[in-house]
Amino acid sequence: MGTEPADSRVEPSPDLFEVSRDPILVADLTTQSVVDANEAAVELLGYDRTEIVGRRVADLTPVGAETVGADIETALTEAAETGEHGFECRLERADGTVVLVDISLSRATFDGEERLLAFLRDVTDRRRQAAELRSSREALQRLHEITIEDADADTTIRQVLDTGTEFLDVDFAYVTDIDDETQTISHAVGHGVGLEIGDEAPIDETYCEHTAAGDDDETVRAVTDVAETEWGASAAVERFELGSYLGTALLVDGRQVGTVCFAATEPRDQPFTETERMFVDVAARLLGSVLERERREARLDEQRRQLKAAFNAPRSFIGILDTDGTLLRANETAWKFVDRDPEEFVGEKFWDGPWWDHSEPLQRQARDAVERARDGATVEFEATHVDAAGNEIDADVTIRPVIEGGEVTTIVAQGVDVTERNEREHRLEMQNQRLRTLFDNAPLIMYALDDEGVFLQSQGQGLADLGLEPGEVNGLHVEQVYGDNSEVVEMVDRALEGEKVESTVSVQGRWYRSWLQPILDDGRVTRVVGVSVDVTEQKRRENQVAAINEATRRLMYATSPTEVAETIVDIADETLDHSLATVCRYDQESETLDPVASNQALRDMLSAAGMDEVPTIDDDTVEMTIFEAGETRLIDDYANTEDTVIENVHPDVETVLVQPLGDFGTLHVAARTETEFGETEVRLLDTLARNAVAALARAEREAELKATKADLERSNERLQEFAYIASHDLQEPLRMVSSYVDLLAREYGDQLDDEADEYIEFAVDGAQRMQSMIDALLTYSRVHTQGADFAECDTESLVEETLQDLELLIEESDATVSVESLPTVAADRDQLGQVFRNLVKNAIDHADVDDAPTVTISGQRTDEGCRFAVADDGPGVPESQRDAIFEIFKRGDRTSDEGTGIGLAVCQRIVDRHGGDIRVESADDGGAKFVFTIPEDEEVTP
């Protein structure tokens, strides 16, 4: 901080003074007032240059006039006299912040005068870093002391967290456990946030969501102001209201198990330093090692407990023997079994123990086993022991040597209680016997194949349906038995590949539901077992149901009652085992059931009997009685039943099921033998009948609608032709009337009085109104016949064009027309424009005569489509007339007499053509609001 002697100083260059990066103040030697300051000094102090010049140097240090070794006044005086001086001082900048500055004072010639130069250097960061370094050394030293202290894990963790809160100057610290997606507080110290040990929350609602090993390539996550980060809107911020945060992952055995976190309720002014990050990283590593040690000790304790539990297993008797057979120790289970004191027998020969004394042969067997184990052999045998209460148990006994260095050092004797196992095996054998009996008599097929596909076993009563005896196919490969049935072979191949197979296949005309289960040993298929059940009847019923479903679909496409009847007969022929079927239709005039469709089998039978068709069913017959009652009936002995239609036609008809088809007629299904119709067949016929009735009703309605539609189309064509011809035929007389009246006015106008002129004016006006009505009628008749295809239509531009067409009318009436935002629709552009034109003109024509009309056009999308509205502020439309005004030539009671009475009718006809609707409502200000809707067209993009 010294300077060169005065006689060696050189006058500083003003340019160097200005560009110098070091702050420099130039002061008067006598007054010590600042006469100049360079840019660096201005930036350091934060004042304008004008605020610095003229002030004494000592006045720039109001925070503290203390210096290193002397006060400022003394330092300035000494520098002025001796030529140099140096000290450190705290300065308060213009913004109120305090910096520590190293000031070097020296005399020098500046701008030709002797001045006192003050060279300033900001040493705040250097001093702070030195202080932080000392603090971090102390904190790390404390961590080291904690490490070597002999304390439990909880105490160590709390000490580490306490040390961290003090060193980092934060409010609190905590350690969390992370399991799946849940975080739990395991340890916490400090204050300011409601965190308690045991609190848990989903990890995505906590700060630790962002604190993970390697997150953002940072081992330690540091945030000085949480509100300024991506965390700012998270659930954690709303819950805990943290200001700053410093955390890292907690690793145990290289795996993240939680987090170590330090936080404060307020944001931090300065970023966290590398030293602070290093401290958190070291603390987390220390805690990880503590937890690793704790877990290792816990695992060792658990292993010791497991070993003890294994040694004293409740069904395992264990004894440790010397090589000569002397009992060294036995587990608790062995002593409890005989209820004896270990001191009585420890040191005695094992075979003389209380477990063998009830049987001399067992004693000899135990002694022989021990002698063989002494020679290095392992001996196993079964024994029956008797406990202290006299109960017998079965045990599997193992005597095995413990060999170390090639020599037998001890012998372990172990007996395992297998009484329950033997009882289970006995019960299992009995169950197997019963199952074998069941399998031999049940209508199933059970089989087993080896890993090559060769039958090992086949049994079950169901084999008889395939012409096989139990065990007949044993030893044969599946392809030898079912080589002509690829479905069976494929099913077995899939099971041999390890797949559990469930499938329904056809074998020799019958259907079987089969389950094949591969048996695995060490991942390899060793055999396949299977069960098959005959589901032929179920399959037949499923096919019938499927056929009925298909019939329902076919009936939907039948277009006439006769086609429906023929479809019904075909379905009955396809789905039922009974081959004779006919449908009769009821004739109301003759009160008979007339046959309209029969299957081929019935026609062949009738032909053999010399008949061309099924006879008509008259009144007073069984069939007519069933139809009139409307209830299905089965005639079991049809050939011998009186009052039937076919009683003399063919003697072989034994069974007939008559199914009424509503008011249409009846369905008859017959068999040549006496056959019992099952419940499934009756239900199928009932379903078929109900579907047929619906199809017949639909076919009749469609026929009526088709005829009605044709009549309407012819009527519309005639009506449109009439309107077109009438409108054209009326044009010529009107033109003639107009021409002659106009000629009369020109030729004889000067000879006529005022009353005659008025009559002529009436005639011309009437002709013109008639011409307008004819033109409107012609437009009305052409809405459907000459309309264009629908296309995407920009409604806003369309309305703009319409208002341009009505510009003269709008100006003459001084009307105001406002248009809001309108949606795009799919429509006939010209016709939609006609609707807007008619509605706007209608609003202006019917406005109050004394007021300038206001018209508002609006539109929006709704669930029903695009909804448009044209509202006015006129007199409105009475509710009693709101339907009538849309009728042709109806004009309502509004004030104006203008118009033809067809405009609103044309609007309604155009909207109807577009599939929408139109109505009139009361506007908000009491006027009329015409609302119409155009449905959305999904194929046209708005």
Side-chain angles (χ1 to χ4, degrees):
M1 294 186 291
T3 60
E4 296 182 359
D7 56 2
S8 63
R9 290 192 293 269
V10 181
E11 178 179 353
S13 167
D15 293 337
L16 291 177
F17 170 75
E18 286 297 333
V19 302
S20 174
R21 295 183 180 180
D22 293 328
I24 303 174
L25 298 176
V26 181
D28 185 90
L29 280 175
T30 304
T31 63
Q32 300 173 359
S33 298
V34 178
V35 297
D36 201 354
N38 69 350
E39 190 63 32
V42 170
E43 182 177 354
L44 172 65
L45 297 175
Y47 294 101
D48 291 338
R49 190 187 302 266
T50 57
E51 294 177 309
I52 299 174
V53 173
R55 299 178 64 179
R56 298 179 71 250
V57 175
D59 294 336
L60 297 175
T61 59
V63 170
E66 297 179 0
T67 65
V68 178
D71 58 34
I72 293 177
E73 295 287 353
T74 302
L76 291 171
T77 301
E78 182 179 343
E81 294 176 353
T82 64
E84 61 180 29
H85 195 71
F87 58 90
E88 287 185 357
C89 181
R90 298 184 181 276
L91 297 182
E92 182 177 6
R93 302 176 73 250
D95 59 4
T97 59
V98 178
V99 294
L100 184 62
V101 178
D102 182 6
I103 301 178
S104 295
L105 301 171
S106 64
R107 291 175 55 181
T109 302
F110 189 82
D111 283 341
E113 295 187 27
E114 282 291 316
R115 300 294 188 186
L116 181 64
L117 301 184
F119 296 88
L120 312 180
R121 184 174 56 174
D122 186 352
V123 294
T124 306
D125 290 341
R126 186 180 67 187
R127 294 293 184 266
R128 186 182 68 249
Q129 290 171 0
E132 289 176 353
L133 182 58
R134 287 193 300 273
S135 177
S136 64
R137 287 173 181 168
E138 294 172 359
L140 293 174
Q141 178 62 29
R142 177 56 186 148
L143 290 183
H144 175 69
E145 293 172 357
I146 292 172
T147 303
I148 62 177
E149 290 178 358
D150 187 13
D152 59 83
D154 287 341
T155 301
T156 300
I157 293 174
R158 285 196 301 273
Q159 290 176 344
V160 170
L161 296 181
D162 284 334
T163 302
T165 56
E166 180 179 354
F167 169 65
L168 299 171
D169 191 23
V170 295
D171 299 316
F172 55 90
Y174 54 90
V175 173
T176 70
D177 292 335
I178 297 177
D179 184 12
D180 292 332
E181 298 299 322
T182 301
Q183 174 187 281
T184 305
I185 303 295
S186 63
H187 299 80
V189 300
H191 62 279
V193 171
L195 286 174
E196 295 183 3
I197 295 175
D199 287 352
E200 65 178 30
I203 193 169
D204 58 1
E205 296 180 7
T206 68
Y207 289 86
C208 293
E209 176 188 10
H210 306 277
T211 306
D215 188 19
D216 295 339
D217 296 326
E218 292 183 357
T219 303
V220 177
R221 182 77 176 207
V223 178
T224 56
D225 189 348
V226 172
E228 299 298 326
T229 67
E230 72 272 17
W231 304 2
S234 68
V237 173
E238 296 178 2
R239 178 177 179 182
F240 301 115
E241 300 180 353
L242 297 186
S244 55
Y245 176 90
L246 191 64
T248 188
L250 179 60
L251 304 180
V252 175
D253 294 327
R255 184 175 65 88
Q256 181 178 350
V257 298
T259 58
V260 180
C261 310
F262 299 87
T265 57
E266 297 297 330
R268 184 182 173 102
D269 294 335
Q270 298 294 330
F272 288 101
T273 65
E274 289 300 322
T275 302
E276 291 171 324
R277 292 171 179 263
M278 178 186 69
F279 173 85
V280 174
D281 185 55
V282 171
R285 294 175 186 272
L286 170 60
L287 295 182
S289 64
V290 170
L291 293 177
E292 286 180 10
R293 182 182 64 208
E294 183 183 43
R295 294 190 179 190
R296 283 197 300 271
E297 292 175 354
R299 286 196 295 269
L300 289 175
D301 289 341
E302 180 63 23
Q303 290 172 359
R304 284 192 289 268
R305 287 193 296 271
Q306 291 174 354
L307 288 174
K308 183 177 180 180
F311 186 71
N312 293 305
R315 294 186 177 275
S316 182
F317 315 113
I318 301 176
I320 308 299
L321 318 178
D322 201 349
T323 54
D324 62 356
T326 300
L327 179 62
L328 300 177
R329 60 177 299 196
N331 68 352
E332 294 177 2
T333 306
W335 297 117
K336 287 180 180 178
F337 179 76
V338 293
D339 193 20
R340 303 296 289 271
D341 189 345
E343 294 181 357
E344 296 182 41
F345 295 97
V346 172
E348 301 295 332
K349 297 301 182 184
F350 173 63
W351 49 85
D352 291 332
W355 309 280
W356 316 97
D357 57 8
H358 64 285
S359 171
E360 186 177 347
L362 277 180
Q363 286 180 318
R364 290 197 302 270
Q365 191 173 19
R367 183 177 60 247
D368 292 342
V370 171
E371 291 176 353
R372 293 174 59 190
R374 184 171 54 203
D375 295 333
T378 297
V379 183
E380 297 178 353
F381 60 92
E382 293 183 1
T384 300
H385 295 290
V386 180
D387 65 12
N391 301 313
E392 293 185 349
I393 70 160
D394 297 330
D396 282 346
V397 180
T398 301
I399 311 294
R400 63 179 182 275
V402 177
I403 301 175
E404 296 181 4
E407 294 184 359
V408 176
T409 57
T410 52
I411 296 173
V412 177
Q414 180 179 15
V416 179
D417 185 352
V418 294
T419 306
E420 292 185 2
R421 186 197 68 184
N422 290 345
E423 290 176 353
R424 286 197 302 270
E425 290 178 351
H426 177 70
R427 289 194 298 270
L428 182 60
E429 178 59 29
M430 296 297 295
Q431 291 173 356
N432 289 339
Q433 182 61 38
R434 287 194 293 269
L435 285 175
R436 282 192 291 270
T437 302
L438 174 65
F439 290 162
D440 290 339
N441 295 278
L444 306 171
I445 301 175
M446 286 139 294
Y447 42 88
L449 302 95
D450 65 12
D451 58 352
E452 297 293 333
V454 175
F455 282 97
L456 300 174
Q457 183 181 6
S458 60
Q459 62 187 96
Q461 196 177 39
L463 288 169
D465 293 329
L466 298 176
L468 298 173
E469 295 292 334
E472 182 177 344
V473 298
N474 293 359
L476 299 177
H477 194 276
V478 64
E479 291 191 354
Q480 292 177 277
V481 182
Y482 297 108
D484 58 346
N485 193 319
S486 60
E487 287 186 302
V488 174
V489 175
E490 179 187 359
M491 185 172 61
V492 172
D493 288 341
R494 288 166 57 194
L496 289 173
E497 292 176 357
E499 179 182 351
K500 184 178 180 180
V501 181
E502 181 179 349
S503 181
T504 301
V505 297
S506 175
V507 181
Q508 297 182 13
R510 304 190 67 81
W511 289 92
Y512 290 88
R513 186 69 173 172
S514 301
W515 295 265
L516 277 71
Q517 174 67 57
I519 306 300
L520 304 178
D521 184 6
D522 196 20
R524 186 180 67 84
V525 177
T526 58
R527 65 184 186 281
V528 171
V529 296
V531 177
S532 296
V533 180
D534 190 337
V535 293
T536 303
E537 184 63 22
Q538 176 184 346
K539 191 69 174 179
R540 186 178 69 84
R541 293 176 182 176
E542 290 176 356
N543 291 338
Q544 290 176 328
V545 171
I548 290 296
N549 292 334
E550 174 63 17
T552 302
R553 188 190 66 79
R554 290 164 57 186
L555 287 172
M556 291 175 59
Y557 294 99
T559 58
S560 67
T562 300
E563 187 176 351
V564 172
E566 292 174 348
T567 303
I568 295 171
V569 170
D570 292 341
I571 295 168
D573 196 16
E574 294 171 3
T575 58
L576 302 177
D577 294 335
H578 317 290
S579 57
L580 307 176
T582 186
V583 171
C584 297
R585 183 172 187 174
Y586 181 68
D587 188 331
Q588 292 183 347
E589 294 183 0
S590 62
E591 297 184 348
T592 59
L593 288 168
D594 300 331
V596 293
S598 302
N599 69 341
Q600 187 62 46
L602 180 57
R603 292 196 296 271
D604 292 343
M605 186 192 76
L606 293 174
S607 178
M611 301 181 65
D612 295 333
E613 59 183 17
V614 177
T616 298
I617 299 176
D618 297 321
D619 201 4
D620 299 328
T621 61
V622 174
E623 288 89 342
M624 183 62 75
T625 301
I626 295 173
F627 167 70
E628 292 174 347
E631 297 180 356
T632 303
R633 179 178 169 186
L634 179 67
I635 306 174
D636 294 324
D637 190 7
Y638 187 77
N640 297 318
T641 301
E642 297 181 356
D643 300 327
T644 60
V645 174
I646 319 178
E647 58 180 331
N648 297 317
V649 172
H650 202 290
D652 289 341
V653 177
E654 292 289 344
T655 305
V656 175
L657 182 69
V658 181
Q659 175 79 51
L661 301 176
D663 296 333
F664 177 82
T666 52
L667 165 65
H668 305 258
V669 180
R672 301 182 183 195
T673 58
E674 187 172 349
T675 302
E676 180 180 356
F677 281 76
E679 181 181 351
T680 300
E681 293 176 314
V682 173
R683 282 202 307 270
L684 289 173
L685 281 174
D686 181 65
T687 301
L688 177 60
R690 283 188 279 108
N691 291 334
V693 170
L696 289 166
R698 178 184 52 76
E700 290 178 343
R701 286 196 304 271
E702 289 182 355
E704 293 174 358
L705 288 173
K706 187 175 182 179
T708 302
K709 180 181 178 182
D711 291 341
L712 288 174
E713 289 177 350
R714 288 192 296 271
S715 176
N716 285 334
E717 289 176 359
R718 289 194 295 270
L719 179 61
Q720 292 172 8
E721 182 180 359
F722 167 76
Y724 184 78
I725 293 174
S727 62
H728 276 73
D729 290 347
L730 289 174
Q731 299 281 351
E732 184 60 31
L734 280 175
R735 282 194 294 271
M736 182 181 293
V737 170
S738 297
S739 298
Y740 277 103
V741 169
D742 185 57
L743 181 62
L744 178 64
R746 289 198 308 269
E747 296 292 336
Y748 302 99
D750 54 351
Q751 302 177 23
L752 300 176
D753 57 15
D754 292 341
E755 187 174 5
D757 290 338
E758 185 178 3
Y759 292 160
I760 291 173
E761 184 178 350
F762 287 159
V764 171
D765 182 64
Q768 290 176 345
R769 288 177 57 82
M770 178 63 74
Q771 181 67 48
S772 298
M773 293 177 68
I774 291 172
D775 291 340
L777 181 62
L778 190 60
T779 299
Y780 181 83
S781 67
R782 290 175 173 176
V783 167
H784 284 279
T785 58
Q786 297 188 11
D789 293 337
F790 294 173
E792 183 177 338
C793 178
D794 183 352
T795 313
E796 291 186 358
S797 64
L798 173 64
V799 170
E800 183 179 355
E801 295 172 5
T802 301
L803 296 180
Q804 290 176 355
D805 294 341
L806 297 173
E807 184 176 4
L808 182 60
L809 175 64
I810 294 172
E811 290 179 354
E812 290 177 350
S813 61
D814 197 20
T816 299
V817 182
S818 60
V819 182
E820 298 178 0
S821 177
L822 303 176
T824 300
V825 297
D828 181 333
R829 181 180 176 85
D830 291 340
Q831 289 188 350
L832 185 59
Q834 182 69 46
V835 173
F836 282 111
R837 184 180 301 104
N838 289 357
L839 293 179
V840 173
K841 188 175 184 300
N842 180 76
I844 295 175
D845 289 342
H846 293 86
D848 290 331
V849 295
D850 297 332
D851 298 324
T854 299
V855 182
T856 302
I857 303 175
S858 60
Q860 62 181 4
R861 294 192 184 281
T862 67
D863 294 339
E864 299 176 354
C866 293
R867 181 178 179 273
F868 298 95
V870 178
D872 61 51
D873 58 352
V877 178
E879 188 170 354
S880 61
Q881 298 182 12
R882 290 180 180 177
D883 292 332
I885 60 174
F886 290 103
E887 298 177 11
I888 194 168
F889 299 129
K890 294 295 180 67
R891 298 168 52 216
D893 292 337
R894 302 225 282 183
T895 58
S896 174
D897 291 332
E898 299 294 332
T900 62
I902 298 180
L904 293 179
V906 170
C907 290
Q908 185 179 50
R909 190 169 175 85
I910 291 174
V911 172
D912 286 345
R913 182 189 173 224
H914 285 73
D917 62 86
I918 186 170
R919 63 185 183 275
V920 62
E921 304 172 350
S922 293
D924 295 339
D925 54 2
K929 180 167 71 172
F930 288 84
V931 179
F932 65 94
T933 301
I934 303 297
E936 294 273 15
D937 187 341
E938 295 182 356
E939 296 183 358
V940 178
T941 303

